[in-house]
Amino acid sequence: MKLLAVVGTNAEFSFNRFLAQYIAKRYSDKADIEVVEIDPIKPFSRSQEADEVTKEWIQAVKEADGVILTTPEYDHGIPAALKSALEWLGSHAGPDVMKMKPVAVVGTSYGIQGSSRAQEEAREILLSPDMSANVLPGNEVLIGGAAANFDKESHELTNEAYIKQLDAMMDNFINFVK
């Protein structure tokens, strides 16, 4: 099973990058999980064609059995870079890029709500008619206080309660993809 763990920001430093890397490492015995950066993807424009990097992004998502989005929360929403990257996967990129593609949404943020609003926004976008993704229902992992819950050197998630939630979500997602 091939999964993509998408770093949902173009920020140079991100706890969501650490989260995506942690997911890829921790669950490597259950799936082939590749961490994907959105930073090199050009901003979406309906009037422009996708460049080679963007075409590679679209193709990687097409070929994946499932996608895990890790998103921070910026001003109660997803980062603009993530919205732009997702736009390339909508109906503008072809009719079946995201149609019924299994997707899980997780995230971490500095605040106590653990990117809850951004995760909700990401789910709404993924469920829109232009996307029609198959979003994992009933599984929320809201990792608040990111700076206190990741090891400063290894970048691994250290909070056992969050790890248990993530374990359950990933087990559910892998079964959902199957």
Side-chain angles (χ1 to χ4, degrees):
M1 174 182 307
K2 173 70 174 177
L3 303 176
L4 300 181
V6 177
V7 178
T9 180
N10 59 352
E12 214 170 287
F13 177 89
S14 174
F15 285 106
N16 283 281
R17 180 173 294 105
F18 300 162
L19 179 57
Q21 292 166 343
Y22 179 79
I23 288 169
K25 180 179 176 185
R26 182 167 179 89
Y27 308 105
S28 63
D29 62 330
K30 298 180 182 202
D32 175 18
I33 305 173
E34 177 186 353
V35 176
V36 177
E37 297 281 347
I38 62 170
D39 185 47
I41 300 167
K42 76 182 231 173
F44 176 77
S45 173
R46 185 181 273 263
S47 63
Q48 294 180 5
E49 292 293 317
D51 61 7
E52 285 308 309
V53 171
T54 306
K55 288 178 183 175
E56 289 172 13
W57 158 247
I58 295 166
Q59 192 60 37
V61 172
K62 276 184 183 180
E63 293 174 359
D65 296 310
V67 176
I68 305 158
L69 288 182
T70 66
T71 183
E73 185 170 306
Y74 296 169
D75 301 320
H76 295 190
I78 64 172
L82 178 56
K83 176 68 166 107
S84 181
L86 290 173
E87 286 290 336
W88 284 111
L89 305 175
S91 61
H92 321 288
D96 294 320
V97 177
M98 291 301 291
K99 188 174 183 176
M100 298 309 292
K101 176 74 64 181
V103 182
V105 180
V106 299
T108 186
S109 66
Y110 288 97
I112 60 171
Q113 293 183 324
S115 76
S116 61
R117 293 181 203 114
Q119 289 186 48
E120 183 60 29
E121 181 182 30
R123 287 182 183 91
E124 288 179 25
I125 292 166
L126 292 162
L127 291 169
S128 72
D130 283 340
M131 292 279 181
S132 297
N134 195 7
V135 180
L136 178 68
N139 287 260
E140 289 187 332
V141 181
L142 309 171
I143 303 171
N149 288 304
F150 285 86
D151 183 271
K152 305 293 185 263
E153 294 186 23
S154 71
H155 301 160
E156 292 196 0
L157 184 60
T158 58
N159 182 303
E160 287 300 320
Y162 289 140
I163 292 169
K164 280 180 142 178
Q165 290 175 24
L166 193 60
D167 286 347
M169 190 228 44
M170 284 301 296
D171 284 344
N172 290 337
F173 187 59
I174 288 167
N175 287 331
F176 186 71
V177 173
K178 289 179 184 176

